[in-house]
Amino acid sequence: MEKNPQNLLEHIQKAKEGTQASFNHLLDSFWNEVYNFQLKRTRNEYEAEDITIQSFSKAFDKINTFKEEYNFKTWLIQISKNIHIDLLRKKNASIRSKTTTEVDDSVYKIADDTPTPEDKLITEQNLAQLLLYIKQLKPHYQEVINLRYFQELSYKEISEVLEEPINNIKVKLLRAKKLLAEIILNKKINK
């Protein structure tokens, strides 16, 4: 997906500055590569998706440490590989520990106040139709959309309810909105 390295570097720089659209671009551009990499390793769709979410969460949290002379996709894959290895170690040691609830202040700097094209498409739907579309998502995506848009909880509140790091919540919401927008567009095209 790294067809235009200059465009990619611009998005990385803007992500370092906290631009939400650039986080969206990076997620959209590299989701499939990271997910497919993990699917080959885990042979389990749910695990692969969960590790991919954690990978982007960690990458976005640590985006300021990325050095432009390296390949961004390779950096993401390495983060993903390390997360998978850590999970395997925990499983093998039979240690069940909760993720830390310590949240770095930089997590709150990712602004999400400007509606994305996905947000606009979603809000144009009537409620009954929108609920039918949401039902087509996987349960963990349904849950995060429900908490954010119907119960109007903040990222921090969703993080507490689901007992997951706040960056995982942000990545899940980005992914859920993208998948929901794809469902809506497909229905419109097929009418």
Side-chain angles (χ1 to χ4, degrees):
M1 183 58 94
E2 293 183 44
K3 294 176 186 160
N4 185 344
Q6 189 56 41
N7 186 32
L8 175 64
L9 288 175
E10 287 174 21
H11 278 290
I12 291 168
Q13 187 55 44
K14 286 181 181 175
K16 286 181 176 184
E17 295 166 5
T19 304
Q20 185 66 33
S22 291
F23 284 108
N24 291 353
H25 176 81
L26 295 172
L27 181 75
D28 291 345
S29 299
F30 294 99
W31 177 271
N32 288 338
E33 282 97 337
V34 177
Y35 175 77
N36 289 331
F37 173 77
Q38 281 303 331
L39 192 57
K40 286 177 189 169
R41 288 175 67 101
T42 63
R43 294 187 180 100
N44 179 306
E45 286 182 17
Y46 179 78
E47 271 188 61
E49 194 168 52
D50 192 47
I51 294 169
T52 303
I53 288 168
Q54 289 181 47
S55 301
F56 278 97
S57 172
K58 188 168 195 166
F60 290 168
D61 192 33
K62 304 290 184 191
I63 191 103
N64 287 320
T65 66
F66 175 74
K67 292 180 175 50
E68 284 75 11
E69 61 265 20
Y70 298 114
N71 182 303
F72 190 73
K73 176 182 161 188
T74 305
W75 185 69
L76 278 172
I77 295 291
Q78 189 60 49
I79 289 171
S80 182
K81 188 188 294 185
N82 290 344
I83 288 172
H84 184 232
I85 289 168
D86 288 345
L87 290 174
L88 288 175
R89 284 182 185 149
K90 286 179 184 175
K91 277 185 187 176
N92 290 340
S94 298
I95 297 173
R96 302 269 297 165
S97 64
K98 293 191 177 214
T99 54
T100 61
T101 55
E102 275 182 38
V103 179
D104 191 336
D105 287 339
S106 64
V107 169
Y108 295 106
K109 292 179 184 169
I110 301 173
D112 71 337
D113 51 1
T114 54
T116 63
E118 291 90 358
D119 289 328
K120 290 175 185 167
L121 190 62
I122 290 167
T123 56
E124 290 172 1
Q125 305 306 306
N126 73 48
L127 186 59
Q129 190 62 52
L130 183 60
L131 290 171
L132 289 174
Y133 293 149
I134 291 170
K135 289 272 187 221
Q136 295 177 37
L137 295 172
K138 291 182 179 177
H140 61 276
Y141 289 139
Q142 289 179 32
E143 183 176 36
V144 81
I145 283 189
N146 174 37
L147 292 170
R148 179 71 173 158
Y149 296 104
F150 294 101
Q151 296 184 33
E152 297 181 351
L153 298 182
S154 69
Y155 287 139
K156 186 176 182 190
E157 292 168 330
I158 296 170
S159 172
E160 290 167 0
V161 168
L162 298 180
E163 297 179 352
E164 287 186 40
I166 199 164
N167 264 1
N168 284 16
I169 300 303
K170 289 181 179 187
V171 172
K172 269 189 188 176
L173 266 169
L174 285 175
R175 187 71 183 147
K177 288 191 299 186
K178 181 177 174 22
L179 293 171
L180 186 57
E182 287 173 7
I183 290 169
I184 294 168
L185 283 174
N186 286 338
K187 296 294 181 188
K188 282 187 173 187
I189 291 170
N190 293 329
K191 280 189 177 180

